[in-house]
Structure formats: C-alpha cells, structure tokens
Amino acid sequence: MRVFVTGATGFIGSGIVRELINAGHQVLGLARSDTSAATLARVGIDVHRGDIDDLDSLRAGAAAADAVIYAANKHISETADSAARAQVELNAVQAIGLELEGTHKPFAVTSGVIGRTPGRLLSEETPAVPNTITALRLPVEESVIAMAERGVRSSSVLLAPTVHGECDTRGFISTLIGIARATGISAFVGDGSNRWPSVHRLDAAALFRLAVESAPAGTRLHAVAEEGVPFRDVAEAIGRQLKIPAVSMTAEEASQHFRFLAPLVSIDNPASSALTRERFGWQPTHPALIADIEEGHYFKQ
C-alpha cells in the first residue's frame, strides 16, 4: 500500500514510517517545514508539503494514498491551549474522513488510554466515557471510529501514556526526567502504587501497521505492552540514573512539583491489550519501560 502518514518525522511517526517500509509499503509523509521534508527525503520517503492546519493539503494527501495514519500530535505543555489543540485535530481528521468516504480505505488515528477508567482495568471493549482528562481528545477518536458507517475502514490505536524509547524528547518519561533534574528529586505521589501502562515506540509502530493492514472498520486497538508499571518504580529508576533520591509527595506538594502534569501523575490507569494481541497477533518485542530507562539513553546530555 501507499500510506499517507501525518507526523511522519515525529517520535512515534518516524517509527511507523520505518515499520511500513520494512513491511514493503510505500510512504507519503506530511512535512510542514524544509527540515522535515529533507529528513523524509534522506530516507527515500515521498514528501507531501502541508500541515494539519491546512485541510486542503490533508485531503490531497489522503486522495493520493491507499491508507492514512494520523500520527501527528499537538504536544501537551504548560502554555498550550488544550481546547484549540483538540479542535485543530478534530478538523484535521474530519477533513481526511471526508476525502476517504465511500472508498473503504484504512484510516488509523492516534488516541490514548490514559484517564479512561481510573482504578479499573481498561479493555478494548470498555465504553468510552468523557471525563476531565479525556473530554477534549475523545471526540477525535470517536469521529474516526464513526467513519466506519460512511465507507471508511477506520480504527483507533490507543497508546499507553508512557511511549518510550530512544529519541524521546517530549514524552512523559523525558518530561519526568527533566523535572527530576531541575528539582534534584524524583517524586511520586503517596505510596506510588498507581499504575501506568507502557509501550516501546517501535512496538507501537508495529501495531499501526497491523491496523491499516487488517483492522476491521470501527476497531479500537490497544498499544499497551505492560498493563501497569507502578509510578514509584518509574521514579526510583529515574532517581538511580540521576543519582538523586526518589521521594514521596502529597497531592498538594505534587501540584507544585509536577506543574501541568500534576493531574496525571497520581492516576491509577491499568490497561489491557489482550484482545489486540489475540485479534491481530501483535507481540511486543522491545525493552520494557524500566529496562529502557536503565539502558541510559534518556540521560545522555
């Protein structure tokens, strides 16, 4: 297939591009800058200039491909307007969907498992219920899933919150490391027993490939290699690498320490990928989260 990939030079998107090429597919990568275009061209990827704000460019890219993977990501930050970011992404996937309507071409969108069922194991068949964490992002996923009724083989790949691996500069783990470096402590909330699922970026990339190759219309897939890593284990692994103490904090202290991440760090968020593995034969093969942290690549200056 010829696959149009948004976010093709990103942390996850670059892994998807590599996975698709290794499987014999062609890739058309969206590039919004000369730097991104040059990066894609160097590895033999066809370049499509545009941006997720440019709906005409998205429609043209979708029209020129046999499948679409939406791996672009407006990253969370202290200054980002969450509602505006979510609206841009909703506009983008709807524009792609209109172009694909009636073609039965595959369209896989990126989503996430975080915050959906706090304290309870999330499965692929758990109903999606909006809450303060999911409310902004969920409409993007639901919009794509609903395209199954309009002749699009749509699917959603729900990522674990800790997508880890080399070249991670803006993900949760690199952000936690940055906070620990700046403050001199690696913190967790309470006893740190709350669990975060994890997945290596290259294992996630393999699941995106499987989604466009074989996921039925309206399918949710869980890119979750580990159901739940205790947050304290993550903090202690970071502390060992930085040679700083891992420290328990109250929720009030954490709100100052973790800043914009504070609402997330105490969530207990286990998630299963049992159905995804059974249905699609997906088997993660890359290092688990703590082992990946201990490899040391996150800490090279």
Side-chain angles (χ1 to χ4, degrees):
M1 289 187 292
R2 179 173 168 84
V3 186
F4 177 45
V5 180
T6 71
T9 59
F11 176 56
I12 299 171
S14 59
I16 293 170
V17 166
R18 167 178 154 183
E19 176 72 23
L20 291 169
I21 291 173
N22 288 344
H25 299 296
Q26 294 179 307
V27 176
L28 177 65
L30 182 69
R32 66 178 181 178
S33 69
D34 292 342
T35 300
S36 293
T39 298
L40 294 174
R42 274 196 301 271
V43 293
I45 304 303
D46 292 338
V47 175
H48 181 77
R49 293 303 297 261
D51 198 345
I52 63 170
D53 299 283
D54 182 348
L55 303 187
D56 288 338
S57 75
L58 294 179
R59 286 190 285 266
D66 304 308
V68 178
I69 294 177
Y70 185 90
N73 183 19
K74 292 284 190 179
H75 285 275
I76 187 171
S77 73
E78 293 179 86
T79 58
D81 182 333
S82 298
R85 184 176 67 244
Q87 187 61 53
V88 166
E89 295 197 329
L90 181 59
N91 293 343
V93 299
Q94 288 179 339
I96 293 169
L98 284 173
E99 188 63 42
L100 298 180
E101 193 167 313
T103 66
H104 300 283
K105 292 180 180 179
F107 178 20
V109 68
T110 304
S111 192
V113 303
I114 192 166
R116 294 196 178 218
T117 53
R120 295 184 292 112
L121 185 68
L122 177 75
S123 83
E124 293 87 338
E125 295 182 346
T126 304
V129 179
N131 57 41
T132 55
I133 295 174
T134 66
L136 290 175
R137 178 69 191 184
L138 197 55
V140 175
E141 174 190 323
E142 291 183 328
S143 175
V144 175
I145 291 294
M147 293 172 191
E149 304 298 322
R150 305 200 307 274
V152 181
R153 185 158 64 79
S154 59
S155 63
S156 176
V157 178
L158 280 68
L159 296 168
T162 45
V163 181
H164 58 91
E166 291 193 53
C167 304
D168 175 9
T169 60
R170 293 193 291 177
F172 279 125
I173 296 301
S174 59
T175 301
L176 291 172
I177 291 169
I179 293 171
R181 272 201 173 107
T183 61
I185 59 174
S186 184
F188 54 91
V189 180
D191 65 2
S193 62
N194 58 298
R195 297 156 291 176
W196 273 24
S198 73
V199 67
H200 194 280
R201 76 178 186 106
L202 297 181
D203 287 321
L207 189 56
F208 276 96
R209 173 182 60 79
L210 290 170
V212 295
E213 286 179 344
S214 59
T219 301
R220 288 182 172 87
L221 304 87
H222 279 191
V224 172
E226 296 177 279
E227 288 191 355
V229 181
F231 198 91
R232 179 171 183 160
D233 291 359
V234 177
E236 288 177 342
I238 291 172
R240 286 193 297 272
Q241 292 296 314
L242 293 177
K243 296 180 171 52
I244 59 176
V247 176
S248 172
M249 289 187 167
T250 66
E252 291 74 20
E253 292 168 332
S255 67
Q256 296 296 317
H257 181 81
F258 290 106
R259 305 188 307 274
F260 64 98
L261 286 184
L264 304 177
V265 295
S266 61
I267 289 177
D268 185 41
N269 197 117
S272 170
S273 60
L275 294 177
T276 296
R277 296 177 194 229
E278 176 185 337
R279 292 167 176 168
F280 302 101
W282 179 64
Q283 290 296 331
T285 60
H286 291 85
L289 175 58
I290 300 304
D292 198 27
I293 292 172
E294 290 177 341
E295 283 189 2
H297 59 82
Y298 271 103
F299 304 91
K300 293 177 182 178
Q301 295 283 2

